[in-house]
mmCIF file of all heavy atoms in Angstrom:
data_model
loop_
_atom_site.group_PDB
_atom_site.id
_atom_site.type_symbol
_atom_site.label_atom_id
_atom_site.label_comp_id
_atom_site.label_asym_id
_atom_site.label_seq_id
_atom_site.Cartn_x
_atom_site.Cartn_y
_atom_site.Cartn_z
ATOM 1 N N GLU X 12 -200.149 -34.966 50.861
ATOM 2 C CA GLU X 12 -199.105 -33.988 50.612
ATOM 3 C C GLU X 12 -199.759 -32.628 50.347
ATOM 4 O O GLU X 12 -200.943 -32.545 50.010
ATOM 5 C CB GLU X 12 -198.257 -34.398 49.411
ATOM 6 C CG GLU X 12 -197.488 -35.690 49.622
ATOM 7 C CD GLU X 12 -196.623 -36.039 48.430
ATOM 8 O OE1 GLU X 12 -196.741 -35.352 47.388
ATOM 9 O OE2 GLU X 12 -195.854 -37.004 48.537
ATOM 10 N N THR X 13 -198.983 -31.559 50.497
ATOM 11 C CA THR X 13 -199.505 -30.220 50.251
ATOM 12 C C THR X 13 -198.584 -29.467 49.293
ATOM 13 O O THR X 13 -197.444 -29.874 49.041
ATOM 14 C CB THR X 13 -199.643 -29.401 51.549
ATOM 15 O OG1 THR X 13 -198.334 -28.991 51.998
ATOM 16 C CG2 THR X 13 -200.346 -30.187 52.627
ATOM 17 N N MET X 14 -199.101 -28.356 48.793
ATOM 18 C CA MET X 14 -198.281 -27.428 48.013
ATOM 19 C C MET X 14 -198.719 -26.003 48.337
ATOM 20 O O MET X 14 -199.862 -25.760 48.744
ATOM 21 C CB MET X 14 -198.377 -27.702 46.514
ATOM 22 C CG MET X 14 -199.751 -27.585 45.894
ATOM 23 S SD MET X 14 -199.682 -27.995 44.125
ATOM 24 C CE MET X 14 -201.445 -28.118 43.738
ATOM 25 N N LEU X 15 -197.802 -25.089 48.185
ATOM 26 C CA LEU X 15 -198.020 -23.683 48.507
ATOM 27 C C LEU X 15 -198.332 -22.907 47.237
ATOM 28 O O LEU X 15 -197.521 -22.887 46.306
ATOM 29 C CB LEU X 15 -196.785 -23.108 49.193
ATOM 30 C CG LEU X 15 -196.785 -21.616 49.510
ATOM 31 C CD1 LEU X 15 -197.881 -21.283 50.516
ATOM 32 C CD2 LEU X 15 -195.414 -21.196 50.040
ATOM 33 N N TYR X 16 -199.497 -22.245 47.205
ATOM 34 C CA TYR X 16 -199.861 -21.401 46.065
ATOM 35 C C TYR X 16 -199.425 -19.970 46.344
ATOM 36 O O TYR X 16 -199.626 -19.443 47.449
ATOM 37 C CB TYR X 16 -201.372 -21.439 45.847
ATOM 38 C CG TYR X 16 -201.865 -20.426 44.830
ATOM 39 C CD1 TYR X 16 -201.872 -20.721 43.466
ATOM 40 C CD2 TYR X 16 -202.306 -19.171 45.234
ATOM 41 C CE1 TYR X 16 -202.315 -19.792 42.542
ATOM 42 C CE2 TYR X 16 -202.753 -18.238 44.317
ATOM 43 C CZ TYR X 16 -202.753 -18.546 42.967
ATOM 44 O OH TYR X 16 -203.184 -17.622 42.053
ATOM 45 N N GLY X 17 -198.838 -19.328 45.342
ATOM 46 C CA GLY X 17 -198.466 -17.932 45.525
ATOM 47 C C GLY X 17 -198.001 -17.303 44.230
ATOM 48 O O GLY X 17 -197.541 -17.988 43.304
ATOM 49 N N SER X 18 -198.128 -15.985 44.151
ATOM 50 C CA SER X 18 -197.609 -15.256 42.999
ATOM 51 C C SER X 18 -196.092 -15.214 43.054
ATOM 52 O O SER X 18 -195.480 -15.425 44.112
ATOM 53 C CB SER X 18 -198.160 -13.831 42.976
ATOM 54 O OG SER X 18 -197.605 -13.083 44.046
ATOM 55 N N LYS X 19 -195.472 -14.934 41.926
ATOM 56 C CA LYS X 19 -194.008 -14.865 41.873
ATOM 57 C C LYS X 19 -193.467 -13.879 42.906
ATOM 58 O O LYS X 19 -192.541 -14.198 43.655
ATOM 59 C CB LYS X 19 -193.559 -14.456 40.479
ATOM 60 C CG LYS X 19 -192.053 -14.241 40.338
ATOM 61 C CD LYS X 19 -191.701 -13.815 38.924
ATOM 62 C CE LYS X 19 -190.201 -13.600 38.760
ATOM 63 N NZ LYS X 19 -189.698 -12.430 39.513
ATOM 64 N N SER X 20 -194.050 -12.687 42.984
ATOM 65 C CA SER X 20 -193.526 -11.665 43.895
ATOM 66 C C SER X 20 -193.672 -12.081 45.352
ATOM 67 O O SER X 20 -192.753 -11.880 46.162
ATOM 68 C CB SER X 20 -194.222 -10.327 43.653
ATOM 69 O OG SER X 20 -195.615 -10.437 43.882
ATOM 70 N N TYR X 21 -194.815 -12.701 45.715
ATOM 71 C CA TYR X 21 -195.020 -13.103 47.096
ATOM 72 C C TYR X 21 -194.180 -14.327 47.454
ATOM 73 O O TYR X 21 -193.714 -14.465 48.591
ATOM 74 C CB TYR X 21 -196.495 -13.367 47.372
ATOM 75 C CG TYR X 21 -197.327 -12.116 47.444
ATOM 76 C CD1 TYR X 21 -198.643 -12.098 46.987
ATOM 77 C CD2 TYR X 21 -196.809 -10.937 47.975
ATOM 78 C CE1 TYR X 21 -199.418 -10.948 47.053
ATOM 79 C CE2 TYR X 21 -197.567 -9.792 48.049
ATOM 80 C CZ TYR X 21 -198.873 -9.794 47.582
ATOM 81 O OH TYR X 21 -199.612 -8.649 47.654
ATOM 82 N N LEU X 22 -193.999 -15.235 46.498
ATOM 83 C CA LEU X 22 -193.144 -16.387 46.757
ATOM 84 C C LEU X 22 -191.708 -15.951 47.012
ATOM 85 O O LEU X 22 -190.990 -16.545 47.821
ATOM 86 C CB LEU X 22 -193.187 -17.363 45.576
ATOM 87 C CG LEU X 22 -194.464 -18.187 45.421
ATOM 88 C CD1 LEU X 22 -194.480 -18.898 44.074
ATOM 89 C CD2 LEU X 22 -194.615 -19.197 46.556
ATOM 90 N N GLU X 23 -191.280 -14.897 46.338
ATOM 91 C CA GLU X 23 -189.909 -14.419 46.490
ATOM 92 C C GLU X 23 -189.719 -13.553 47.737
ATOM 93 O O GLU X 23 -188.629 -13.552 48.319
ATOM 94 C CB GLU X 23 -189.512 -13.615 45.252
ATOM 95 C CG GLU X 23 -189.395 -14.471 43.999
ATOM 96 C CD GLU X 23 -189.180 -13.653 42.745
ATOM 97 O OE1 GLU X 23 -189.550 -12.452 42.733
ATOM 98 O OE2 GLU X 23 -188.653 -14.214 41.764
ATOM 99 N N SER X 24 -190.779 -12.846 48.147
ATOM 100 C CA SER X 24 -190.602 -11.886 49.232
ATOM 101 C C SER X 24 -191.223 -12.308 50.557
ATOM 102 O O SER X 24 -190.649 -12.062 51.624
ATOM 103 C CB SER X 24 -191.191 -10.524 48.826
ATOM 104 O OG SER X 24 -192.579 -10.645 48.535
ATOM 105 N N ILE X 25 -192.389 -12.946 50.516
ATOM 106 C CA ILE X 25 -193.127 -13.299 51.733
ATOM 107 C C ILE X 25 -193.018 -14.787 52.046
ATOM 108 O O ILE X 25 -192.777 -15.176 53.189
ATOM 109 C CB ILE X 25 -194.604 -12.881 51.608
ATOM 110 C CG1 ILE X 25 -194.691 -11.355 51.501
ATOM 111 C CG2 ILE X 25 -195.413 -13.394 52.785
ATOM 112 C CD1 ILE X 25 -196.092 -10.838 51.225
ATOM 113 N N TRP X 26 -193.209 -15.626 51.028
ATOM 114 C CA TRP X 26 -193.227 -17.067 51.248
ATOM 115 C C TRP X 26 -191.857 -17.700 51.058
ATOM 116 O O TRP X 26 -191.750 -18.928 51.020
ATOM 117 C CB TRP X 26 -194.209 -17.730 50.286
ATOM 118 C CG TRP X 26 -195.637 -17.381 50.515
ATOM 119 C CD1 TRP X 26 -196.430 -16.601 49.719
ATOM 120 C CD2 TRP X 26 -196.470 -17.799 51.611
ATOM 121 N NE1 TRP X 26 -197.698 -16.513 50.247
ATOM 122 C CE2 TRP X 26 -197.754 -17.235 51.406
ATOM 123 C CE3 TRP X 26 -196.248 -18.579 52.743
ATOM 124 C CZ2 TRP X 26 -198.805 -17.435 52.293
ATOM 125 C CZ3 TRP X 26 -197.299 -18.782 53.630
ATOM 126 C CH2 TRP X 26 -198.562 -18.217 53.393
ATOM 127 N N ALA X 27 -190.815 -16.912 50.960
ATOM 128 C CA ALA X 27 -189.490 -17.449 50.643
ATOM 129 C C ALA X 27 -189.069 -18.630 51.523
ATOM 130 O O ALA X 27 -188.566 -19.634 50.999
ATOM 131 C CB ALA X 27 -188.449 -16.334 50.704
ATOM 132 N N PRO X 28 -189.236 -18.589 52.859
ATOM 133 C CA PRO X 28 -188.819 -19.742 53.671
ATOM 134 C C PRO X 28 -189.568 -21.024 53.311
ATOM 135 O O PRO X 28 -188.967 -22.090 53.166
ATOM 136 C CB PRO X 28 -189.125 -19.292 55.101
ATOM 137 C CG PRO X 28 -189.101 -17.807 55.040
ATOM 138 C CD PRO X 28 -189.670 -17.465 53.705
ATOM 139 N N SER X 29 -190.886 -20.932 53.163
ATOM 140 C CA SER X 29 -191.672 -22.125 52.850
ATOM 141 C C SER X 29 -191.471 -22.567 51.414
ATOM 142 O O SER X 29 -191.419 -23.763 51.113
ATOM 143 C CB SER X 29 -193.152 -21.854 53.118
ATOM 144 O OG SER X 29 -193.404 -21.760 54.511
ATOM 145 N N ALA X 30 -191.360 -21.596 50.506
ATOM 146 C CA ALA X 30 -191.195 -21.942 49.093
ATOM 147 C C ALA X 30 -189.881 -22.675 48.849
ATOM 148 O O ALA X 30 -189.775 -23.486 47.918
ATOM 149 C CB ALA X 30 -191.260 -20.680 48.237
ATOM 150 N N ALA X 31 -188.897 -22.411 49.686
ATOM 151 C CA ALA X 31 -187.588 -23.040 49.510
ATOM 152 C C ALA X 31 -187.594 -24.514 49.881
ATOM 153 O O ALA X 31 -186.736 -25.278 49.419
ATOM 154 C CB ALA X 31 -186.542 -22.295 50.331
ATOM 155 N N THR X 32 -188.534 -24.914 50.710
ATOM 156 C CA THR X 32 -188.507 -26.283 51.243
ATOM 157 C C THR X 32 -189.757 -27.097 50.905
ATOM 158 O O THR X 32 -189.805 -28.287 51.216
ATOM 159 C CB THR X 32 -188.344 -26.263 52.771
ATOM 160 O OG1 THR X 32 -189.386 -25.471 53.356
ATOM 161 C CG2 THR X 32 -186.999 -25.673 53.158
ATOM 162 N N HIS X 33 -190.762 -26.477 50.277
ATOM 163 C CA HIS X 33 -192.013 -27.177 50.003
ATOM 164 C C HIS X 33 -192.374 -27.132 48.520
ATOM 165 O O HIS X 33 -191.797 -26.364 47.753
ATOM 166 C CB HIS X 33 -193.151 -26.563 50.816
ATOM 167 C CG HIS X 33 -193.051 -26.815 52.289
ATOM 168 N ND1 HIS X 33 -193.310 -28.033 52.863
ATOM 169 C CD2 HIS X 33 -192.696 -25.999 53.317
ATOM 170 C CE1 HIS X 33 -193.150 -27.967 54.165
ATOM 171 N NE2 HIS X 33 -192.758 -26.734 54.476
ATOM 172 N N THR X 34 -193.328 -27.955 48.139
ATOM 173 C CA THR X 34 -193.837 -27.969 46.776
ATOM 174 C C THR X 34 -194.590 -26.677 46.491
ATOM 175 O O THR X 34 -195.366 -26.204 47.321
ATOM 176 C CB THR X 34 -194.770 -29.180 46.578
ATOM 177 O OG1 THR X 34 -194.043 -30.375 46.872
ATOM 178 C CG2 THR X 34 -195.293 -29.242 45.155
ATOM 179 N N VAL X 35 -194.385 -26.105 45.307
ATOM 180 C CA VAL X 35 -194.935 -24.795 44.975
ATOM 181 C C VAL X 35 -195.838 -24.861 43.751
ATOM 182 O O VAL X 35 -195.543 -25.541 42.761
ATOM 183 C CB VAL X 35 -193.795 -23.783 44.723
ATOM 184 C CG1 VAL X 35 -194.302 -22.516 44.031
ATOM 185 C CG2 VAL X 35 -193.120 -23.429 46.042
ATOM 186 N N TRP X 36 -196.946 -24.122 43.847
ATOM 187 C CA TRP X 36 -197.814 -23.824 42.701
ATOM 188 C C TRP X 36 -197.632 -22.337 42.420
ATOM 189 O O TRP X 36 -198.085 -21.491 43.170
ATOM 190 C CB TRP X 36 -199.253 -24.167 43.049
ATOM 191 C CG TRP X 36 -200.284 -23.843 42.003
ATOM 192 C CD1 TRP X 36 -200.080 -23.422 40.718
ATOM 193 C CD2 TRP X 36 -201.714 -23.920 42.165
ATOM 194 N NE1 TRP X 36 -201.274 -23.232 40.068
ATOM 195 C CE2 TRP X 36 -202.298 -23.536 40.942
ATOM 196 C CE3 TRP X 36 -202.537 -24.278 43.240
ATOM 197 C CZ2 TRP X 36 -203.675 -23.486 40.768
ATOM 198 C CZ3 TRP X 36 -203.918 -24.227 43.057
ATOM 199 C CH2 TRP X 36 -204.476 -23.843 41.835
ATOM 200 N N LEU X 37 -196.965 -22.025 41.350
ATOM 201 C CA LEU X 37 -196.602 -20.654 40.994
ATOM 202 C C LEU X 37 -197.713 -19.970 40.206
ATOM 203 O O LEU X 37 -198.258 -20.537 39.261
ATOM 204 C CB LEU X 37 -195.328 -20.682 40.143
ATOM 205 C CG LEU X 37 -194.945 -19.403 39.394
ATOM 206 C CD1 LEU X 37 -194.496 -18.323 40.378
ATOM 207 C CD2 LEU X 37 -193.855 -19.704 38.357
ATOM 208 N N ALA X 38 -198.028 -18.733 40.580
ATOM 209 C CA ALA X 38 -198.917 -17.879 39.789
ATOM 210 C C ALA X 38 -198.084 -16.747 39.204
ATOM 211 O O ALA X 38 -197.509 -15.945 39.940
ATOM 212 C CB ALA X 38 -200.040 -17.313 40.654
ATOM 213 N N HIS X 39 -197.968 -16.718 37.901
ATOM 214 C CA HIS X 39 -197.205 -15.658 37.220
ATOM 215 C C HIS X 39 -197.782 -15.501 35.818
ATOM 216 O O HIS X 39 -197.646 -16.399 34.989
ATOM 217 C CB HIS X 39 -195.725 -16.022 37.158
ATOM 218 C CG HIS X 39 -194.846 -14.894 36.717
ATOM 219 N ND1 HIS X 39 -193.561 -15.074 36.262
ATOM 220 C CD2 HIS X 39 -195.086 -13.543 36.657
ATOM 221 C CE1 HIS X 39 -193.029 -13.902 35.953
ATOM 222 N NE2 HIS X 39 -193.935 -12.963 36.189
ATOM 223 N N TYR X 40 -198.446 -14.369 35.587
ATOM 224 C CA TYR X 40 -199.185 -14.164 34.346
ATOM 225 C C TYR X 40 -198.271 -13.571 33.275
ATOM 226 O O TYR X 40 -198.177 -12.358 33.088
ATOM 227 C CB TYR X 40 -200.399 -13.275 34.598
ATOM 228 C CG TYR X 40 -201.368 -13.862 35.610
ATOM 229 C CD1 TYR X 40 -202.340 -13.079 36.224
ATOM 230 C CD2 TYR X 40 -201.311 -15.202 35.964
ATOM 231 C CE1 TYR X 40 -203.219 -13.611 37.144
ATOM 232 C CE2 TYR X 40 -202.186 -15.755 36.888
ATOM 233 C CZ TYR X 40 -203.133 -14.944 37.476
ATOM 234 O OH TYR X 40 -204.005 -15.478 38.395
ATOM 235 N N THR X 41 -197.597 -14.456 32.599
ATOM 236 C CA THR X 41 -196.630 -14.085 31.579
ATOM 237 C C THR X 41 -196.423 -15.278 30.665
ATOM 238 O O THR X 41 -196.727 -16.410 31.038
ATOM 239 C CB THR X 41 -195.294 -13.665 32.224
ATOM 240 O OG1 THR X 41 -194.352 -13.349 31.207
ATOM 241 C CG2 THR X 41 -194.730 -14.785 33.088
ATOM 242 N N SER X 42 -195.911 -15.025 29.476
ATOM 243 C CA SER X 42 -195.712 -16.129 28.536
ATOM 244 C C SER X 42 -194.526 -17.006 28.906
ATOM 245 O O SER X 42 -194.469 -18.188 28.564
ATOM 246 C CB SER X 42 -195.528 -15.581 27.113
ATOM 247 O OG SER X 42 -194.414 -14.700 27.073
#
């Protein structure tokens, strides 16, 4: 199996099609 790594902004703007249908590893530097 695979998962898509991406920052919050890129997952929302660039990777949106793949992020909607695949497993995601989110990068977001916040509490």
